[in-house]
Amino acid sequence: MTVRLRPHHLLCMLTYVGKGYTPGFTVNYDRVAARLRDGEEIEIISGPDDICGPLLTNRDSHCFKASVTNRDTKALEAVAQWLGRRLEIGSRIVPDAALIRQMRAGFQRGDLRKPCSGCEWTQLCDHVASMDFCGVRTAPQPDISP
């Protein structure tokens, strides 16, 4: 199976700790998080994805707003640049430990944070990154061995 993610969720997955818009959203995201944690391949898609599912019954959902689409465009560019590889809609990546480690480094440094401008979750993500991503549900936990 493949996890379908819109580009800005490549960044959100780095800091997801079980908080969400609604209880249904969080339950769904926990399911997606488990799949990502297990290393299931990611397909980058345009528009609402596997994480957005519970919000799609409301046509006024932020998932459809131009600001979110703009965030997707910026996130895809930033992640591709940081990883030093071409990424586009339809690209597939595997969220293995090396990829997550590389993306977390960029997120902590701020190089992957520009697309997050204006996001309501910024304070939470700042806190999670400052705690070295402890408690993140979507990917392998950081190596804290001495």
Side-chain angles (χ1 to χ4, degrees), residues 6 8-9 12 15-30 49-56 58 60-65 67-68 71-72 116 118-122 124-125:
R6 64 188 316 158
H8 84 265
H9 282 159
C12 298
T15 59
Y16 175 67
V17 291
K19 308 273 185 196
Y21 298 102
T22 66
F25 177 87
T26 303
V27 166
N28 179 64
Y29 204 148
D30 283 341
D49 61 10
D50 292 344
I51 292 171
C52 297
L55 302 177
L56 300 181
N58 179 358
D60 293 330
S61 169
H62 76 276
C63 299
F64 299 107
K65 293 186 177 177
S67 61
V68 176
R71 184 170 293 132
D72 283 334
C116 304
C119 178
E120 66 188 276
W121 299 98
T122 298
L124 175 65
C125 295

Coordinates of all heavy atoms in Angstrom, one line a residue, residues 6 8-9 12 15-30 49-56 58 60-65 67-68 71-72 116 118-122 124-125:
R6 N -0.2 15.1 0.5 CA 0.0 16.4 -0.2 C 1.3 16.9 0.3 O 1.8 16.6 1.4 CB -1.2 17.3 0.1 CG -1.4 17.8 1.5 CD -2.7 18.6 1.7 NE -2.9 19.6 0.7 CZ -4.1 20.1 0.4 NH1 -5.1 19.8 1.1 NH2 -4.2 21.0 -0.5
H8 N 2.6 19.6 1.8 CA 2.9 20.2 3.1 C 2.8 19.2 4.2 O 3.4 19.4 5.3 CB 2.1 21.5 3.4 CG 0.7 21.3 3.9 ND1 -0.4 21.2 3.1 CD2 0.3 21.1 5.2 CE1 -1.5 21.1 3.8 NE2 -1.1 21.0 5.1
H9 N 2.1 18.1 4.0 CA 2.0 17.1 5.0 C 3.4 16.3 5.2 O 3.6 15.6 6.2 CB 0.9 16.1 4.8 CG -0.4 16.7 5.2 ND1 -1.6 16.2 4.7 CD2 -0.7 17.7 6.0 CE1 -2.6 16.9 5.2 NE2 -2.1 17.8 6.0
C12 N 4.4 18.3 8.1 CA 3.5 18.0 9.2 C 3.8 16.7 9.9 O 3.7 16.5 11.1 CB 2.0 18.0 8.8 SG 1.4 19.6 8.2
T15 N 6.2 16.4 12.9 CA 5.9 16.9 14.3 C 4.5 16.4 14.8 O 4.1 16.9 15.9 CB 5.9 18.4 14.3 OG1 5.0 18.9 13.4 CG2 7.3 19.0 14.0
Y16 N 3.9 15.5 14.1 CA 2.6 15.1 14.6 C 2.7 14.3 15.9 O 3.3 13.3 16.0 CB 1.9 14.2 13.5 CG 0.6 13.7 14.0 CD1 -0.5 14.5 14.3 CD2 0.4 12.3 14.3 CE1 -1.7 14.0 14.7 CE2 -0.8 11.8 14.7 CZ -1.8 12.6 15.0 OH -3.0 12.1 15.5
V17 N 2.0 14.8 16.9 CA 2.1 14.2 18.3 C 0.7 13.8 18.8 O 0.5 13.6 20.0 CB 2.8 15.1 19.3 CG1 4.3 15.2 19.0 CG2 2.2 16.5 19.4
G18 N -0.3 13.7 17.9 CA -1.6 13.3 18.3 C -2.6 14.4 18.5 O -3.7 14.2 19.0
K19 N -2.3 15.6 18.0 CA -3.2 16.8 18.1 C -3.8 17.0 16.7 O -3.1 16.7 15.7 CB -2.4 18.0 18.5 CG -1.6 17.9 19.7 CD -2.4 18.2 21.0 CE -1.4 18.2 22.1 NZ -2.1 18.1 23.4
G20 N -5.0 17.4 16.7 CA -5.7 17.6 15.4 C -6.9 18.5 15.5 O -7.3 19.0 16.5
Y21 N -7.5 18.7 14.3 CA -8.7 19.5 14.2 C -9.9 19.0 14.9 O -10.7 19.8 15.5 CB -9.0 19.8 12.7 CG -7.9 20.5 12.0 CD1 -7.0 19.8 11.2 CD2 -7.7 21.8 12.2 CE1 -6.0 20.4 10.5 CE2 -6.6 22.5 11.5 CZ -5.8 21.7 10.7 OH -4.7 22.4 10.0
T22 N -10.1 17.7 14.8 CA -11.3 17.1 15.4 C -10.9 15.7 16.0 O -9.8 15.2 15.5 CB -12.4 16.8 14.4 OG1 -12.0 15.9 13.4 CG2 -12.8 18.2 13.7
P23 N -11.7 15.1 16.8 CA -11.3 13.7 17.3 C -11.2 12.7 16.1 O -10.3 11.9 16.0 CB -12.5 13.4 18.2 CG -12.9 14.7 18.8 CD -12.8 15.6 17.6
G24 N -12.1 12.8 15.1 CA -12.1 12.0 14.0 C -10.9 12.2 13.1 O -10.3 11.2 12.6
F25 N -10.4 13.4 13.0 CA -9.2 13.7 12.3 C -8.0 13.1 13.0 O -7.2 12.4 12.3 CB -9.0 15.2 12.2 CG -7.7 15.7 11.5 CD1 -7.7 15.8 10.2 CD2 -6.6 15.9 12.3 CE1 -6.5 16.2 9.5 CE2 -5.4 16.3 11.7 CZ -5.4 16.4 10.3
T26 N -8.0 13.2 14.3 CA -6.8 12.6 15.0 C -6.8 11.1 14.9 O -5.7 10.5 14.8 CB -6.9 13.1 16.5 OG1 -6.9 14.5 16.5 CG2 -5.7 12.6 17.3
V27 N -8.0 10.4 15.0 CA -8.0 9.0 14.9 C -7.5 8.6 13.5 O -6.7 7.6 13.4 CB -9.5 8.5 15.1 CG1 -9.6 7.0 14.7 CG2 -9.8 8.6 16.6
N28 N -7.9 9.3 12.5 CA -7.5 8.9 11.1 C -6.0 9.2 11.0 O -5.2 8.4 10.4 CB -8.2 9.8 10.1 CG -7.8 9.5 8.7 OD1 -7.9 8.4 8.2 ND2 -7.2 10.5 8.1
Y29 N -5.5 10.3 11.5 CA -4.1 10.7 11.4 C -3.2 9.6 12.2 O -2.2 9.2 11.7 CB -3.8 12.1 12.0 CG -2.6 12.7 11.4 CD1 -2.5 14.1 11.3 CD2 -1.4 12.0 11.1 CE1 -1.4 14.8 10.8 CE2 -0.3 12.7 10.6 CZ -0.3 14.0 10.5 OH 0.8 14.7 10.0
D30 N -3.7 9.1 13.3 CA -3.0 8.1 14.0 C -2.8 6.8 13.1 O -1.8 6.2 13.1 CB -3.7 7.7 15.3 CG -3.5 8.7 16.4 OD1 -2.5 9.5 16.3 OD2 -4.3 8.7 17.4
D49 N -5.5 14.6 0.8 CA -4.8 13.3 0.9 C -5.4 12.4 1.9 O -6.5 12.7 2.5 CB -3.3 13.6 1.1 CG -3.0 14.3 2.4 OD1 -3.9 14.4 3.3 OD2 -1.9 14.7 2.6
D50 N -4.7 11.4 2.3 CA -5.1 10.4 3.3 C -5.3 11.0 4.7 O -6.2 10.6 5.4 CB -4.2 9.2 3.4 CG -4.1 8.4 2.1 OD1 -5.1 8.5 1.3 OD2 -3.2 7.6 2.0
I51 N -4.6 12.1 5.0 CA -4.7 12.7 6.3 C -6.0 13.6 6.3 O -6.7 13.7 7.3 CB -3.4 13.6 6.6 CG1 -2.3 12.6 6.9 CG2 -3.7 14.5 7.8 CD1 -0.9 13.3 7.0
C52 N -6.3 14.2 5.2 CA -7.4 15.2 5.1 C -8.8 14.5 5.2 O -9.8 15.1 5.5 CB -7.4 15.9 3.8 SG -5.9 17.0 3.5
G53 N -8.8 13.2 4.9 CA -10.1 12.5 4.8 C -11.3 12.9 5.7 O -12.3 13.3 5.1
P54 N -11.1 12.9 7.0 CA -12.3 13.3 7.8 C -12.8 14.7 7.7 O -13.9 15.0 8.1 CB -11.7 13.0 9.3 CG -10.6 12.1 9.1 CD -10.0 12.4 7.8
L55 N -12.0 15.6 7.1 CA -12.4 17.0 6.9 C -13.1 17.2 5.6 O -13.6 18.3 5.4 CB -11.2 17.9 7.1 CG -10.4 17.8 8.4 CD1 -9.1 18.7 8.3 CD2 -11.2 18.1 9.6
L56 N -13.1 16.3 4.7 CA -13.6 16.5 3.4 C -15.1 16.6 3.2 O -15.6 16.9 2.2 CB -13.0 15.5 2.4 CG -11.5 15.5 2.4 CD1 -11.0 14.5 1.4 CD2 -10.9 16.9 2.0
N58 N -16.9 18.7 4.7 CA -17.2 20.1 4.7 C -16.5 20.8 3.5 O -15.2 20.9 3.5 CB -16.7 20.7 6.0 CG -17.0 22.1 6.2 OD1 -17.5 22.8 5.3 ND2 -16.6 22.7 7.3
D60 N -16.2 23.7 2.9 CA -15.5 24.9 3.4 C -14.2 24.6 4.1 O -13.5 25.5 4.6 CB -16.4 25.8 4.3 CG -17.6 26.3 3.5 OD1 -17.5 26.6 2.3 OD2 -18.7 26.5 4.2
S61 N -13.9 23.3 4.2 CA -12.6 22.9 4.9 C -11.4 23.6 4.3 O -11.3 23.9 3.1 CB -12.5 21.4 4.7 OG -11.2 21.0 5.1
H62 N -10.5 23.9 5.2 CA -9.3 24.6 4.8 C -8.5 23.7 3.8 O -7.7 24.3 3.0 CB -8.4 24.9 6.0 CG -7.7 23.8 6.6 ND1 -8.2 22.9 7.5 CD2 -6.4 23.3 6.4 CE1 -7.4 22.0 7.8 NE2 -6.2 22.2 7.1
C63 N -8.7 22.4 3.7 CA -8.0 21.6 2.7 C -8.2 22.0 1.3 O -7.4 21.7 0.4 CB -8.6 20.1 2.8 SG -8.4 19.4 4.4
F64 N -9.3 22.8 1.0 CA -9.5 23.2 -0.3 C -9.1 24.7 -0.6 O -9.2 25.2 -1.7 CB -11.0 23.1 -0.6 CG -11.6 21.7 -0.5 CD1 -12.3 21.3 0.6 CD2 -11.3 20.8 -1.5 CE1 -12.8 20.0 0.7 CE2 -11.7 19.5 -1.4 CZ -12.5 19.1 -0.3
K65 N -8.6 25.4 0.4 CA -8.3 26.8 0.3 C -7.0 27.0 -0.5 O -6.1 26.2 -0.5 CB -8.2 27.4 1.6 CG -9.6 27.5 2.3 CD -9.5 28.2 3.6 CE -11.0 28.2 4.2 NZ -11.0 28.9 5.4
S67 N -4.7 29.1 0.2 CA -3.5 29.3 1.1 C -2.9 27.9 1.3 O -1.7 27.8 1.5 CB -4.0 29.9 2.4 OG -4.9 29.1 3.1
V68 N -3.7 26.9 1.4 CA -3.1 25.5 1.6 C -2.5 25.0 0.4 O -1.4 24.4 0.4 CB -4.2 24.6 2.1 CG1 -3.7 23.1 2.3 CG2 -4.8 25.1 3.5
R71 N 0.8 26.6 0.2 CA 1.7 26.0 1.2 C 2.2 24.7 0.6 O 3.4 24.4 0.8 CB 1.0 25.7 2.5 CG 1.9 25.1 3.6 CD 1.2 25.1 4.9 NE 1.0 26.5 5.4 CZ -0.2 26.9 5.9 NH1 -1.2 26.1 6.0 NH2 -0.3 28.2 6.2
D72 N 1.4 24.0 -0.1 CA 1.9 22.7 -0.8 C 3.0 23.0 -1.8 O 4.0 22.3 -1.8 CB 0.7 22.0 -1.5 CG -0.2 21.3 -0.6 OD1 0.2 20.9 0.5 OD2 -1.4 21.1 -1.0
C116 N 5.6 26.8 6.3 CA 4.7 26.7 7.4 C 4.2 28.1 7.8 O 3.4 28.2 8.7 CB 5.5 26.1 8.6 SG 6.1 24.4 8.2
G118 N 2.2 31.2 8.6 CA 0.8 31.4 8.7 C 0.0 30.2 9.2 O -1.2 30.2 9.4
C119 N 0.7 29.0 9.4 CA 0.0 27.8 9.9 C -0.4 28.0 11.4 O 0.4 28.4 12.2 CB 0.9 26.6 9.7 SG 0.1 25.1 10.3
E120 N -1.6 27.5 11.7 CA -2.0 27.6 13.1 C -1.3 26.7 14.0 O -1.4 26.8 15.3 CB -3.5 27.4 13.2 CG -3.9 25.9 12.8 CD -5.5 25.8 12.7 OE1 -6.1 25.6 13.7 OE2 -6.0 25.9 11.6
W121 N -0.6 25.7 13.5 CA 0.1 24.7 14.3 C 1.6 25.1 14.6 O 2.3 24.3 15.2 CB 0.0 23.3 13.7 CG -1.4 22.9 13.5 CD1 -2.2 22.9 12.4 CD2 -2.2 22.3 14.6 NE1 -3.4 22.4 12.7 CE2 -3.5 22.0 14.0 CE3 -2.0 21.9 15.9 CZ2 -4.5 21.4 14.7 CZ3 -3.0 21.4 16.6 CH2 -4.3 21.1 16.0
T122 N 2.0 26.3 14.2 CA 3.4 26.6 14.3 C 4.0 26.5 15.7 O 5.1 26.0 15.8 CB 3.6 28.1 13.7 OG1 3.2 28.1 12.3 CG2 5.1 28.5 13.8
L124 N 3.1 24.6 18.2 CA 3.2 23.2 18.6 C 4.4 22.6 17.9 O 5.2 21.9 18.5 CB 1.9 22.5 18.2 CG 2.0 21.0 18.5 CD1 2.2 20.7 20.0 CD2 0.8 20.3 17.9
C125 N 4.5 22.9 16.6 CA 5.6 22.3 15.8 C 7.0 22.8 16.3 O 8.0 22.1 16.4 CB 5.5 22.6 14.3 SG 4.0 21.8 13.6

